[in-house]
Amino acid sequence: MDRSNLKKTVHKIINDQPVTDLHTHCYTPAFGSSPEPDGLLLWGIDELVTYHYLVAEVFRVVPATKLPYETFWQMTKQQQADHIWKHLFVENTPISEGCRGVITTLHKLGLDPNEKSLKNYRKWFSQQTADKYIDKVMEIANVDSITMTNPVFDDVEREKWLANPSIGDDPRFEAVLRIDPMLRNWPSAVNTMRQLGYEVNEDFSGNTINETRRFLGEWIDRQKAIYVAMSLPPEFQFPNPSNPAADRFIRDILMPLCADLGLPWAMMIGSRMQVNPSLKDAGDMVGKSDVLSVVHLCQEFPNNKFMVTLLSRENQHELCVAARKFGNLFLFGCWWFLNNPSIIEEMTRQRFELLGTSFVPQHSDARILDQLVYKWDHSRKIIANVLVEKYNDLIDVDYKVTPKMIKRDAALLLRDNFRNFVAR
Ligand code: FIX
Ligand code: ZN
């Protein structure tokens, strides 16, 4: 292929390639949907505009000294959305990635993104139903599967699973067992498991190891989970002599169970929770993590599969080099505060240069269903542009880049690398 139509061809192939989105916070409609109380599937303009990224940003424009946090949180969802729309989209230019995403989504839904109020958008969304809207969003975003995040220690969600074991049975979705408290707060995890009838003790005495494995195994089966996930603090260390419970959980429970089942452990490391609790979900921050702990895990558990994404930009090069050393270390996504064009481009270029096409460049982390539209639109463009650059390097030295090769690469990056890694 000559370079004159390379860019157009690569962008078309990347756009036409369905994505398997390996990490989101979206849910099947059976979990209930906004605006139902306790509805876990969030969608529509008021959820989109009150996304926690935008809550953090609006408190920069209208600080808590002017609008106290409590006053904001006492507003209705619509009042919060009106406040954010006014200050971030009308009185200021929505150039942040979080704001831009809302504009892209409205545009791709066929709506005029220049409205001064949310009235017309609310009218349009009131004519949609959650179940059909899922299909619409997946079609526009060209997403063929949405991977959920299913925190078993969240009381509301756990009760929904227990009340309706088929709640996750929707061919458009896959489930993931999320178990942060097992390492972030072992005593509370033990307490919840005991309340659910599992004979476990904080000091691992008695039948704790078998009973915790039984708890995890039963939930993996109930959810048909395709991997087990945790968000971990920047301080996460393995091994960690100062936290023997964490080491015992990993060595005696999680690693043997995941190895037996062929399930990956997805580690999302670097989230320092609630540095500003008044911002609620928007109150978390980033911290530099210890890549050597990931290396130690890959060394000690060569038969386990590790999916890893780190939250700090400063960790990315070291993590890429670590992935060159261990085939069971699988890198994915530009997580959270890294999910910005400038950093996605830098990380994707670095990963191509160090890992070829043996990684997954992006996940959406969509908390609001509608976000699939913008998160994938924005990332596909960047991934395609970096690929064009790399293909041009090859064409410069007479390597034949063909549409067949580009299609193979696009399928690996956006769907098959992940599906192959989690296949059991
Ligand atoms: O731990 C996680 O899964 C994070 O992605 C979320 O907690 C975070 O709030 C988020 O949605 C980032 O995009
Ligand atoms: Zn997430």
Side-chain angles (χ1 to χ4, degrees):
M1 175 184 306
D2 62 52
R3 66 183 77 238
S4 61
N5 59 4
L6 177 68
K7 180 167 181 162
K8 193 160 145 272
T9 305
V10 172
H11 277 263
K12 179 163 185 347
I13 290 172
I14 289 286
N15 286 336
D16 290 350
Q17 172 58 49
V19 158
T20 293
D21 197 342
L22 69 77
H23 172 66
T24 79
H25 298 269
C26 300
Y27 285 90
T28 67
F31 282 94
S33 56
S34 48
E36 297 158 36
D38 280 354
L40 297 184
L41 171 62
L42 305 181
W43 66 287
I45 190 67
D46 288 301
E47 294 296 350
L48 200 52
V49 175
T50 58
Y51 179 37
H52 68 70
Y53 289 27
L54 302 183
V55 172
E57 291 177 34
V58 79
F59 270 103
R60 295 195 50 71
V61 172
V62 183
T65 46
K66 274 203 188 137
L67 175 78
Y69 294 114
E70 314 72 60
T71 311
F72 177 80
W73 294 118
Q74 280 156 15
M75 287 179 183
T76 65
K77 176 73 78 176
Q78 292 205 345
Q79 288 167 335
Q80 291 172 10
D82 291 339
H83 172 72
I84 291 172
W85 187 257
K86 173 174 185 281
H87 291 289
L88 294 187
F89 292 84
V90 178
E91 293 181 2
N92 285 285
T93 311
I95 56 171
S96 77
E97 185 60 10
C99 286
R100 173 201 169 206
V102 175
I103 303 297
T104 300
T105 301
L106 292 170
H107 173 68
K108 290 185 80 74
L109 287 170
L111 301 170
D112 176 359
N114 298 289
E115 299 280 355
K116 298 303 174 208
S117 88
L118 298 173
K119 185 166 70 65
N120 290 341
Y121 302 140
R122 286 180 177 133
K123 188 157 165 275
W124 186 86
F125 279 97
S126 69
Q127 293 151 5
Q128 314 302 319
T129 61
D131 195 49
K132 285 205 171 24
Y133 189 58
I134 293 170
D135 292 330
K136 181 191 281 279
V137 164
M138 290 179 80
E139 188 190 352
I140 296 172
N142 197 8
V143 167
D144 67 5
S145 178
I146 299 172
T147 308
M148 298 187 277
T149 296
N150 304 103
V152 64
F153 292 102
D154 176 289
D155 296 342
V156 170
E157 177 164 345
R158 187 178 60 248
E159 289 313 310
K160 286 177 180 278
W161 280 101
L162 293 173
N164 172 9
S166 60
I167 196 166
D169 292 353
D170 182 320
R172 299 167 293 186
F173 292 82
E174 296 288 353
V176 164
L177 179 61
R178 180 71 177 256
I179 54 170
D180 298 8
M182 288 294 200
L183 286 182
R184 280 185 183 265
N185 190 342
W186 172 245
S188 85
V190 165
N191 189 39
T192 302
M193 288 190 281
R194 288 178 68 83
Q195 286 170 3
L196 294 168
Y198 297 86
E199 289 163 30
V200 293
N201 303 300
E202 259 187 63
D203 62 2
F204 286 81
S205 60
N207 207 12
T208 299
I209 287 176
N210 289 333
E211 281 290 87
T212 307
R213 285 185 66 162
R214 181 168 73 88
F215 168 77
L216 292 173
E218 287 175 2
W219 276 95
I220 287 165
D221 291 346
R222 180 174 286 116
Q223 294 181 346
K224 303 183 188 71
I226 59 172
Y227 63 82
V228 176
M230 280 185 186
S231 153
L232 295 167
E235 295 77 19
F236 171 75
Q237 296 281 333
F238 180 83
N240 185 349
S242 65
N243 186 347
D247 285 358
R248 284 214 65 184
F249 172 76
I250 292 171
R251 284 198 169 109
D252 299 345
I253 298 170
L254 187 63
M255 289 297 88
L257 178 69
C258 287
D260 289 350
L261 298 174
L263 269 186
W265 175 19
M267 308 171 74
M268 305 169 72
I269 313 173
S271 45
R272 191 183 307 289
M273 309 306 277
Q274 298 296 283
V275 295
N276 181 353
S278 304
L279 284 173
K280 298 189 178 183
D281 277 348
D284 303 336
M285 208 194 130
V286 54
K288 198 161 177 294
S289 306
D290 176 46
V291 178
L292 203 52
S293 291
V294 174
V295 169
H296 289 153
L297 285 162
C298 294
Q299 285 170 333
E300 186 167 335
F301 305 104
N303 298 321
N304 281 81
K305 300 191 280 190
F306 298 97
M307 292 167 56
V308 174
T309 198
L310 299 185
L311 190 49
S312 168
R313 179 186 178 211
E314 287 67 24
N315 281 137
Q316 299 308 321
H317 179 256
E318 190 181 351
L319 181 63
C320 274
V321 175
R324 288 169 60 89
K325 308 306 159 193
F326 300 98
N328 58 332
L329 175 53
F330 180 83
L331 304 196
F332 72 93
C334 301
W335 181 28
W336 203 341
F337 305 111
L338 300 172
N339 196 357
N340 301 313
S342 58
I343 300 180
I344 297 168
E345 180 178 333
E346 174 186 279
M347 285 175 64
T348 303
R349 180 176 292 114
Q350 185 174 93
R351 287 165 167 178
F352 280 141
E353 290 163 1
L354 282 165
L355 304 174
T357 52
S358 65
F359 66 98
V360 171
Q362 192 58 293
H363 65 276
S364 70
D365 227 320
R367 272 181 179 268
I368 321 296
L369 177 76
D370 323 47
Q371 293 172 335
L372 293 176
V373 171
Y374 86 81
K375 290 195 181 219
W376 284 110
D377 178 69
H378 295 179
S379 287
R380 285 179 195 265
K381 286 190 175 78
I382 299 164
I383 295 163
N385 284 333
V386 180
L387 266 177
V388 168
E389 188 187 296
K390 293 305 169 190
Y391 289 143
N392 270 322
D393 290 345
L394 291 172
I395 293 170
D396 283 351
V397 287
D398 287 344
Y399 186 83
K400 301 257 175 295
V401 176
T402 66
K404 189 163 174 263
M405 286 166 58
I406 301 167
K407 282 183 185 140
R408 174 198 58 199
D409 296 345
L412 283 172
L413 292 165
L414 298 182
R415 183 191 59 202
D416 298 341
N417 279 347
F418 171 59
R419 286 174 179 256
N420 295 337
F421 194 75
V422 297
R424 291 199 252 174

